[in-house]
Amino acid sequence: MSVEILAATVVLTIAAYIDWKEHRVPNWLTFGGLGFALVYHAAMTGYPGLGYALLGASVGLATLIVMYALGGMGAGDVKLMAAVGAWVGATATIQAFVWIAVIGGMMGAYSMYRSGQWQQRLATVGVASKNLASLKTLNNGSEQAPAKILLPYGVPIAFGFYAYFLIGGMVA
């Protein structure tokens, strides 16, 4: 296992644990992980390494920033994607995002089912989809949104990257 994958796995595991327990991903972890990734890649290969890490961080940030801006997730999840993206690069981050979306969708569907408000939640998903298309927040005053179900999205982020690391052949 490479240093990059090991470091990303450590950051992801700590983030998933804290997010599961406290419903937050702390700044010391995200900014620390990002900073160490930038320094590591710059030290290993100079400016090309720094560029690799910055591009990976940018892609990680871009994957979730719209959902954050629409009120669909917390900033810690976005910063976690940026930190891990800096460690593993843009390509791995994009490919892991597919796994993250699938795992996050399954967790979200299960949470909706468990809430006992499946139909009301599905209606909210419909409103959110329309708002996403027009880049409005979920509850802009014209719709009555039910109370949010908190989904510790650090967990699907971690498991999505783990799946990609294993299936994408990044772990031998």
Tab-separated table of all heavy atoms in Angstrom, residues 61-118:
chain	number	residue	atom	x	y	z
A	61	LEU	N	-13.221	19.054	-4.008
A	61	LEU	CA	-14.080	20.171	-3.634
A	61	LEU	C	-15.251	20.308	-4.603
A	61	LEU	O	-16.397	20.463	-4.191
A	61	LEU	CB	-13.258	21.461	-3.611
A	61	LEU	CG	-13.975	22.727	-3.216
A	61	LEU	CD1	-14.101	22.793	-1.699
A	61	LEU	CD2	-13.219	23.940	-3.726
A	62	ALA	N	-14.964	20.201	-5.885
A	62	ALA	CA	-15.995	20.389	-6.911
A	62	ALA	C	-17.083	19.318	-6.866
A	62	ALA	O	-18.232	19.597	-7.211
A	62	ALA	CB	-15.353	20.417	-8.294
A	63	THR	N	-16.746	18.116	-6.416
A	63	THR	CA	-17.738	17.037	-6.427
A	63	THR	C	-18.917	17.309	-5.508
A	63	THR	O	-20.033	16.875	-5.798
A	63	THR	CB	-17.116	15.676	-6.039
A	63	THR	OG1	-16.540	15.782	-4.730
A	63	THR	CG2	-16.087	15.213	-7.060
A	64	LEU	N	-18.691	18.018	-4.407
A	64	LEU	CA	-19.757	18.199	-3.414
A	64	LEU	C	-20.145	19.647	-3.157
A	64	LEU	O	-21.090	19.903	-2.405
A	64	LEU	CB	-19.353	17.547	-2.080
A	64	LEU	CG	-19.152	16.038	-2.096
A	64	LEU	CD1	-18.738	15.546	-0.711
A	64	LEU	CD2	-20.396	15.313	-2.569
A	65	ILE	N	-19.476	20.600	-3.762
A	65	ILE	CA	-19.720	22.000	-3.434
A	65	ILE	C	-21.146	22.448	-3.766
A	65	ILE	O	-21.735	23.239	-3.029
A	65	ILE	CB	-18.665	22.930	-4.078
A	65	ILE	CG1	-18.712	24.329	-3.458
A	65	ILE	CG2	-18.847	23.010	-5.586
A	65	ILE	CD1	-18.186	24.404	-2.070
A	66	VAL	N	-21.715	21.940	-4.846
A	66	VAL	CA	-23.078	22.339	-5.214
A	66	VAL	C	-24.064	21.818	-4.168
A	66	VAL	O	-24.957	22.561	-3.736
A	66	VAL	CB	-23.448	21.853	-6.635
A	66	VAL	CG1	-24.925	22.073	-6.922
A	66	VAL	CG2	-22.594	22.554	-7.670
A	67	MET	N	-23.895	20.577	-3.741
A	67	MET	CA	-24.800	20.037	-2.716
A	67	MET	C	-24.670	20.811	-1.407
A	67	MET	O	-25.662	21.043	-0.715
A	67	MET	CB	-24.533	18.545	-2.486
A	67	MET	CG	-24.970	17.676	-3.646
A	67	MET	SD	-26.713	17.904	-4.094
A	67	MET	CE	-27.516	17.347	-2.613
A	68	TYR	N	-23.466	21.232	-1.075
A	68	TYR	CA	-23.281	22.062	0.113
A	68	TYR	C	-23.982	23.411	-0.061
A	68	TYR	O	-24.692	23.875	0.834
A	68	TYR	CB	-21.791	22.276	0.405
A	68	TYR	CG	-21.544	23.370	1.402
A	68	TYR	CD1	-21.833	23.198	2.752
A	68	TYR	CD2	-21.058	24.611	0.991
A	68	TYR	CE1	-21.631	24.216	3.664
A	68	TYR	CE2	-20.855	25.631	1.902
A	68	TYR	CZ	-21.135	25.428	3.232
A	68	TYR	OH	-20.949	26.441	4.145
A	69	ALA	N	-23.788	24.042	-1.200
A	69	ALA	CA	-24.379	25.356	-1.463
A	69	ALA	C	-25.905	25.308	-1.422
A	69	ALA	O	-26.554	26.286	-1.053
A	69	ALA	CB	-23.909	25.891	-2.809
A	70	LEU	N	-26.485	24.160	-1.772
A	70	LEU	CA	-27.935	23.998	-1.743
A	70	LEU	C	-28.443	23.536	-0.389
A	70	LEU	O	-29.638	23.299	-0.214
A	70	LEU	CB	-28.377	23.016	-2.833
A	70	LEU	CG	-28.118	23.468	-4.265
A	70	LEU	CD1	-28.468	22.366	-5.243
A	70	LEU	CD2	-28.893	24.731	-4.575
A	71	GLY	N	-27.561	23.392	0.569
A	71	GLY	CA	-27.967	23.008	1.916
A	71	GLY	C	-28.128	21.519	2.103
A	71	GLY	O	-28.706	21.078	3.087
A	72	GLY	N	-27.591	20.722	1.184
A	72	GLY	CA	-27.766	19.275	1.252
A	72	GLY	C	-26.723	18.542	2.069
A	72	GLY	O	-26.866	17.349	2.319
A	73	MET	N	-25.661	19.230	2.489
A	73	MET	CA	-24.621	18.587	3.301
A	73	MET	C	-23.779	19.648	3.974
A	73	MET	O	-23.867	20.831	3.637
A	73	MET	CB	-23.770	17.648	2.466
A	73	MET	CG	-22.872	18.291	1.458
A	73	MET	SD	-21.861	17.090	0.585
A	73	MET	CE	-22.960	15.729	0.369
A	74	GLY	N	-22.954	19.194	4.883
A	74	GLY	CA	-22.119	20.119	5.631
A	74	GLY	C	-20.800	20.414	4.936
A	74	GLY	O	-20.346	19.671	4.057
A	75	ALA	N	-20.178	21.502	5.375
A	75	ALA	CA	-18.900	21.917	4.798
A	75	ALA	C	-17.788	20.913	5.091
A	75	ALA	O	-16.863	20.759	4.293
A	75	ALA	CB	-18.519	23.295	5.325
A	76	GLY	N	-17.869	20.223	6.229
A	76	GLY	CA	-16.836	19.245	6.569
A	76	GLY	C	-16.726	18.136	5.543
A	76	GLY	O	-15.624	17.661	5.241
A	77	ASP	N	-17.859	17.721	4.978
A	77	ASP	CA	-17.855	16.674	3.956
A	77	ASP	C	-17.132	17.160	2.701
A	77	ASP	O	-16.357	16.420	2.091
A	77	ASP	CB	-19.285	16.265	3.607
A	77	ASP	CG	-20.059	15.771	4.817
A	77	ASP	OD1	-19.477	15.021	5.627
A	77	ASP	OD2	-21.233	16.154	4.958
A	78	VAL	N	-17.369	18.406	2.340
A	78	VAL	CA	-16.725	18.982	1.158
A	78	VAL	C	-15.221	19.086	1.390
A	78	VAL	O	-14.410	18.726	0.529
A	78	VAL	CB	-17.325	20.362	0.820
A	78	VAL	CG1	-16.658	20.970	-0.393
A	78	VAL	CG2	-18.834	20.257	0.613
A	79	LYS	N	-14.838	19.561	2.572
A	79	LYS	CA	-13.411	19.696	2.893
A	79	LYS	C	-12.736	18.331	2.981
A	79	LYS	O	-11.565	18.188	2.598
A	79	LYS	CB	-13.239	20.476	4.194
A	79	LYS	CG	-13.650	21.942	4.056
A	79	LYS	CD	-13.478	22.718	5.345
A	79	LYS	CE	-14.620	22.434	6.293
A	79	LYS	NZ	-14.603	23.280	7.496
A	80	LEU	N	-13.459	17.321	3.444
A	80	LEU	CA	-12.910	15.961	3.486
A	80	LEU	C	-12.603	15.467	2.072
A	80	LEU	O	-11.543	14.895	1.823
A	80	LEU	CB	-13.882	15.010	4.179
A	80	LEU	CG	-13.478	13.536	4.241
A	80	LEU	CD1	-12.160	13.366	4.995
A	80	LEU	CD2	-14.588	12.712	4.884
A	81	MET	N	-13.530	15.706	1.141
A	81	MET	CA	-13.281	15.309	-0.255
A	81	MET	C	-12.050	16.023	-0.813
A	81	MET	O	-11.249	15.419	-1.529
A	81	MET	CB	-14.501	15.618	-1.123
A	81	MET	CG	-15.653	14.667	-0.959
A	81	MET	SD	-15.322	12.980	-1.527
A	81	MET	CE	-15.212	13.228	-3.295
A	82	ALA	N	-11.881	17.290	-0.484
A	82	ALA	CA	-10.716	18.037	-0.959
A	82	ALA	C	-9.431	17.472	-0.361
A	82	ALA	O	-8.432	17.287	-1.080
A	82	ALA	CB	-10.863	19.520	-0.628
A	83	ALA	N	-9.442	17.174	0.929
A	83	ALA	CA	-8.245	16.650	1.588
A	83	ALA	C	-7.839	15.299	1.004
A	83	ALA	O	-6.666	15.076	0.685
A	83	ALA	CB	-8.483	16.528	3.095
A	84	VAL	N	-8.805	14.415	0.850
A	84	VAL	CA	-8.486	13.090	0.319
A	84	VAL	C	-8.111	13.189	-1.167
A	84	VAL	O	-7.203	12.506	-1.633
A	84	VAL	CB	-9.642	12.100	0.554
A	84	VAL	CG1	-9.355	10.750	-0.068
A	84	VAL	CG2	-9.888	11.947	2.054
A	85	GLY	N	-8.791	14.078	-1.897
A	85	GLY	CA	-8.432	14.303	-3.290
A	85	GLY	C	-6.985	14.744	-3.445
A	85	GLY	O	-6.298	14.354	-4.392
A	86	ALA	N	-6.502	15.552	-2.504
A	86	ALA	CA	-5.102	15.992	-2.541
A	86	ALA	C	-4.150	14.817	-2.363
A	86	ALA	O	-3.072	14.784	-2.951
A	86	ALA	CB	-4.853	17.052	-1.470
A	87	TRP	N	-4.541	13.841	-1.577
A	87	TRP	CA	-3.680	12.671	-1.386
A	87	TRP	C	-3.673	11.751	-2.603
A	87	TRP	O	-2.620	11.270	-3.005
A	87	TRP	CB	-4.115	11.873	-0.149
A	87	TRP	CG	-3.584	12.441	1.118
A	87	TRP	CD1	-4.289	13.099	2.074
A	87	TRP	CD2	-2.229	12.424	1.564
A	87	TRP	NE1	-3.449	13.503	3.081
A	87	TRP	CE2	-2.176	13.093	2.798
A	87	TRP	CE3	-1.043	11.906	1.033
A	87	TRP	CZ2	-0.993	13.259	3.511
A	87	TRP	CZ3	0.135	12.067	1.744
A	87	TRP	CH2	0.161	12.734	2.967
A	88	VAL	N	-4.839	11.505	-3.187
A	88	VAL	CA	-4.928	10.449	-4.207
A	88	VAL	C	-5.044	10.965	-5.637
A	88	VAL	O	-4.992	10.177	-6.575
A	88	VAL	CB	-6.076	9.466	-3.905
A	88	VAL	CG1	-5.871	8.809	-2.545
A	88	VAL	CG2	-7.435	10.147	-3.984
A	89	GLY	N	-5.248	12.252	-5.833
A	89	GLY	CA	-5.307	12.821	-7.174
A	89	GLY	C	-6.710	12.894	-7.751
A	89	GLY	O	-7.670	12.333	-7.217
A	90	ALA	N	-6.791	13.615	-8.858
A	90	ALA	CA	-8.082	13.915	-9.484
A	90	ALA	C	-8.780	12.677	-10.025
A	90	ALA	O	-9.981	12.490	-9.814
A	90	ALA	CB	-7.882	14.945	-10.599
A	91	THR	N	-8.054	11.834	-10.737
A	91	THR	CA	-8.683	10.670	-11.373
A	91	THR	C	-9.294	9.733	-10.334
A	91	THR	O	-10.446	9.314	-10.470
A	91	THR	CB	-7.663	9.912	-12.246
A	91	THR	OG1	-7.146	10.825	-13.221
A	91	THR	CG2	-8.288	8.730	-12.936
A	92	ALA	N	-8.532	9.413	-9.297
A	92	ALA	CA	-9.041	8.521	-8.252
A	92	ALA	C	-10.233	9.150	-7.540
A	92	ALA	O	-11.193	8.453	-7.202
A	92	ALA	CB	-7.943	8.186	-7.251
A	93	THR	N	-10.195	10.460	-7.341
A	93	THR	CA	-11.288	11.148	-6.653
A	93	THR	C	-12.572	11.084	-7.466
A	93	THR	O	-13.650	10.809	-6.928
A	93	THR	CB	-10.893	12.604	-6.348
A	93	THR	OG1	-9.711	12.588	-5.536
A	93	THR	CG2	-12.003	13.340	-5.631
A	94	ILE	N	-12.472	11.314	-8.758
A	94	ILE	CA	-13.652	11.231	-9.633
A	94	ILE	C	-14.221	9.819	-9.624
A	94	ILE	O	-15.429	9.616	-9.496
A	94	ILE	CB	-13.317	11.672	-11.066
A	94	ILE	CG1	-13.043	13.167	-11.104
A	94	ILE	CG2	-14.444	11.312	-12.030
A	94	ILE	CD1	-12.426	13.651	-12.403
A	95	GLN	N	-13.349	8.833	-9.749
A	95	GLN	CA	-13.827	7.452	-9.794
A	95	GLN	C	-14.396	7.010	-8.453
A	95	GLN	O	-15.395	6.291	-8.406
A	95	GLN	CB	-12.710	6.536	-10.285
A	95	GLN	CG	-12.369	6.832	-11.736
A	95	GLN	CD	-11.203	6.017	-12.263
A	95	GLN	OE1	-10.505	5.341	-11.526
A	95	GLN	NE2	-10.992	6.089	-13.568
A	96	ALA	N	-13.791	7.435	-7.354
A	96	ALA	CA	-14.327	7.095	-6.036
A	96	ALA	C	-15.663	7.780	-5.802
A	96	ALA	O	-16.534	7.229	-5.118
A	96	ALA	CB	-13.339	7.495	-4.941
A	97	PHE	N	-15.859	8.958	-6.400
A	97	PHE	CA	-17.108	9.689	-6.217
A	97	PHE	C	-18.313	8.877	-6.693
A	97	PHE	O	-19.397	8.981	-6.115
A	97	PHE	CB	-17.053	11.045	-6.930
A	97	PHE	CG	-18.306	11.847	-6.766
A	97	PHE	CD1	-18.672	12.350	-5.527
A	97	PHE	CD2	-19.151	12.080	-7.833
A	97	PHE	CE1	-19.844	13.080	-5.363
A	97	PHE	CE2	-20.316	12.807	-7.690
A	97	PHE	CZ	-20.663	13.303	-6.440
A	98	VAL	N	-18.132	8.065	-7.708
A	98	VAL	CA	-19.227	7.196	-8.173
A	98	VAL	C	-19.632	6.245	-7.046
A	98	VAL	O	-20.823	6.089	-6.748
A	98	VAL	CB	-18.819	6.424	-9.443
A	98	VAL	CG1	-19.888	5.425	-9.845
A	98	VAL	CG2	-18.513	7.391	-10.578
A	99	TRP	N	-18.655	5.639	-6.400
A	99	TRP	CA	-18.937	4.744	-5.270
A	99	TRP	C	-19.575	5.510	-4.121
A	99	TRP	O	-20.508	5.026	-3.471
A	99	TRP	CB	-17.652	4.072	-4.787
A	99	TRP	CG	-17.167	3.019	-5.717
A	99	TRP	CD1	-16.168	3.136	-6.645
A	99	TRP	CD2	-17.662	1.697	-5.837
A	99	TRP	NE1	-16.021	1.964	-7.319
A	99	TRP	CE2	-16.920	1.053	-6.843
A	99	TRP	CE3	-18.655	0.982	-5.183
A	99	TRP	CZ2	-17.147	-0.262	-7.206
A	99	TRP	CZ3	-18.890	-0.333	-5.549
A	99	TRP	CH2	-18.134	-0.933	-6.549
A	100	ILE	N	-19.072	6.699	-3.857
A	100	ILE	CA	-19.596	7.526	-2.771
A	100	ILE	C	-21.074	7.838	-3.009
A	100	ILE	O	-21.894	7.757	-2.093
A	100	ILE	CB	-18.764	8.817	-2.638
A	100	ILE	CG1	-17.351	8.476	-2.164
A	100	ILE	CG2	-19.431	9.821	-1.703
A	100	ILE	CD1	-16.340	9.590	-2.358
A	101	ALA	N	-21.406	8.199	-4.241
A	101	ALA	CA	-22.797	8.531	-4.567
A	101	ALA	C	-23.713	7.325	-4.372
A	101	ALA	O	-24.822	7.454	-3.839
A	101	ALA	CB	-22.888	9.057	-5.997
A	102	VAL	N	-23.272	6.156	-4.787
A	102	VAL	CA	-24.083	4.945	-4.643
A	102	VAL	C	-24.270	4.607	-3.161
A	102	VAL	O	-25.392	4.377	-2.699
A	102	VAL	CB	-23.446	3.753	-5.408
A	102	VAL	CG1	-24.115	2.439	-5.044
A	102	VAL	CG2	-23.507	4.002	-6.911
A	103	ILE	N	-23.190	4.601	-2.416
A	103	ILE	CA	-23.268	4.259	-0.988
A	103	ILE	C	-24.067	5.322	-0.230
A	103	ILE	O	-24.913	4.995	0.610
A	103	ILE	CB	-21.854	4.076	-0.400
A	103	ILE	CG1	-21.193	2.843	-1.034
A	103	ILE	CG2	-21.902	3.958	1.123
A	103	ILE	CD1	-19.708	2.727	-0.775
A	104	GLY	N	-23.835	6.593	-0.531
A	104	GLY	CA	-24.592	7.672	0.104
A	104	GLY	C	-26.069	7.598	-0.226
A	104	GLY	O	-26.922	7.830	0.632
A	105	GLY	N	-26.392	7.250	-1.474
A	105	GLY	CA	-27.794	7.097	-1.866
A	105	GLY	C	-28.469	5.963	-1.119
A	105	GLY	O	-29.623	6.088	-0.684
A	106	MET	N	-27.756	4.852	-0.963
A	106	MET	CA	-28.318	3.721	-0.210
A	106	MET	C	-28.527	4.097	1.257
A	106	MET	O	-29.565	3.776	1.844
A	106	MET	CB	-27.424	2.487	-0.343
A	106	MET	CG	-27.425	1.911	-1.738
A	106	MET	SD	-26.489	0.371	-2.021
A	106	MET	CE	-25.270	0.306	-0.786
A	107	MET	N	-27.557	4.794	1.843
A	107	MET	CA	-27.719	5.222	3.242
A	107	MET	C	-28.867	6.215	3.378
A	107	MET	O	-29.633	6.154	4.344
A	107	MET	CB	-26.424	5.861	3.758
A	107	MET	CG	-25.357	4.877	4.153
A	107	MET	SD	-23.892	5.702	4.850
A	107	MET	CE	-24.529	6.366	6.378
A	108	GLY	N	-28.992	7.116	2.424
A	108	GLY	CA	-30.083	8.090	2.456
A	108	GLY	C	-31.441	7.424	2.331
A	108	GLY	O	-32.385	7.773	3.053
A	109	ALA	N	-31.557	6.460	1.420
A	109	ALA	CA	-32.820	5.744	1.237
A	109	ALA	C	-33.182	4.976	2.518
A	109	ALA	O	-34.341	4.988	2.948
A	109	ALA	CB	-32.731	4.794	0.048
A	110	TYR	N	-32.191	4.347	3.126
A	110	TYR	CA	-32.444	3.617	4.367
A	110	TYR	C	-32.884	4.580	5.478
A	110	TYR	O	-33.805	4.282	6.239
A	110	TYR	CB	-31.198	2.839	4.799
A	110	TYR	CG	-31.389	2.120	6.110
A	110	TYR	CD1	-32.219	1.006	6.176
A	110	TYR	CD2	-30.773	2.558	7.270
A	110	TYR	CE1	-32.417	0.354	7.388
A	110	TYR	CE2	-30.963	1.918	8.471
A	110	TYR	CZ	-31.789	0.811	8.523
A	110	TYR	OH	-31.986	0.162	9.716
A	111	SER	N	-32.241	5.736	5.555
A	111	SER	CA	-32.614	6.729	6.570
A	111	SER	C	-34.033	7.237	6.360
A	111	SER	O	-34.776	7.439	7.326
A	111	SER	CB	-31.633	7.906	6.546
A	111	SER	OG	-30.354	7.489	6.957
A	112	MET	N	-34.420	7.438	5.085
A	112	MET	CA	-35.793	7.863	4.792
A	112	MET	C	-36.781	6.789	5.218
A	112	MET	O	-37.816	7.081	5.817
A	112	MET	CB	-35.965	8.171	3.300
A	112	MET	CG	-35.300	9.449	2.875
A	112	MET	SD	-35.635	10.028	1.191
A	112	MET	CE	-35.933	8.609	0.215
A	113	TYR	N	-36.461	5.545	4.923
A	113	TYR	CA	-37.329	4.431	5.298
A	113	TYR	C	-37.467	4.349	6.818
A	113	TYR	O	-38.573	4.213	7.351
A	113	TYR	CB	-36.770	3.130	4.731
A	113	TYR	CG	-37.510	1.910	5.206
A	113	TYR	CD1	-38.762	1.589	4.690
A	113	TYR	CD2	-36.964	1.086	6.178
A	113	TYR	CE1	-39.453	0.474	5.131
A	113	TYR	CE2	-37.647	-0.029	6.632
A	113	TYR	CZ	-38.890	-0.328	6.104
A	113	TYR	OH	-39.566	-1.432	6.550
A	114	ARG	N	-36.340	4.438	7.521
A	114	ARG	CA	-36.344	4.346	8.985
A	114	ARG	C	-37.092	5.488	9.648
A	114	ARG	O	-37.619	5.330	10.749
A	114	ARG	CB	-34.909	4.343	9.521
A	114	ARG	CG	-34.400	2.962	9.756
A	114	ARG	CD	-33.108	2.943	10.526
A	114	ARG	NE	-33.331	3.248	11.928
A	114	ARG	CZ	-32.436	3.827	12.712
A	114	ARG	NH1	-31.286	4.203	12.241
A	114	ARG	NH2	-32.705	4.038	13.972
A	115	SER	N	-37.166	6.644	9.001
A	115	SER	CA	-37.829	7.802	9.598
A	115	SER	C	-39.339	7.604	9.681
A	115	SER	O	-40.017	8.334	10.396
A	115	SER	CB	-37.526	9.068	8.792
A	115	SER	OG	-38.255	9.077	7.576
A	116	GLY	N	-39.862	6.623	8.927
A	116	GLY	CA	-41.299	6.385	8.910
A	116	GLY	C	-42.053	7.405	8.076
A	116	GLY	O	-43.276	7.462	8.115
A	117	GLN	N	-41.330	8.209	7.327
A	117	GLN	CA	-41.940	9.253	6.506
A	117	GLN	C	-41.490	9.096	5.053
A	117	GLN	O	-41.167	10.067	4.385
A	117	GLN	CB	-41.520	10.629	7.025
A	117	GLN	CG	-41.894	10.865	8.456
A	117	GLN	CD	-41.261	12.148	8.981
A	117	GLN	OE1	-40.381	12.717	8.380
A	117	GLN	NE2	-41.739	12.586	10.127
A	118	TRP	N	-41.483	7.884	4.590
A	118	TRP	CA	-40.972	7.564	3.253
A	118	TRP	C	-41.610	8.425	2.163
A	118	TRP	O	-40.922	9.020	1.350
A	118	TRP	CB	-41.179	6.080	2.991
A	118	TRP	CG	-40.660	5.606	1.678
A	118	TRP	CD1	-41.401	5.293	0.586
A	118	TRP	CD2	-39.310	5.390	1.314
A	118	TRP	NE1	-40.591	4.888	-0.445
A	118	TRP	CE2	-39.287	4.934	-0.016
A	118	TRP	CE3	-38.082	5.533	1.973
A	118	TRP	CZ2	-38.119	4.631	-0.690
A	118	TRP	CZ3	-36.921	5.223	1.289
A	118	TRP	CH2	-36.949	4.778	-0.020
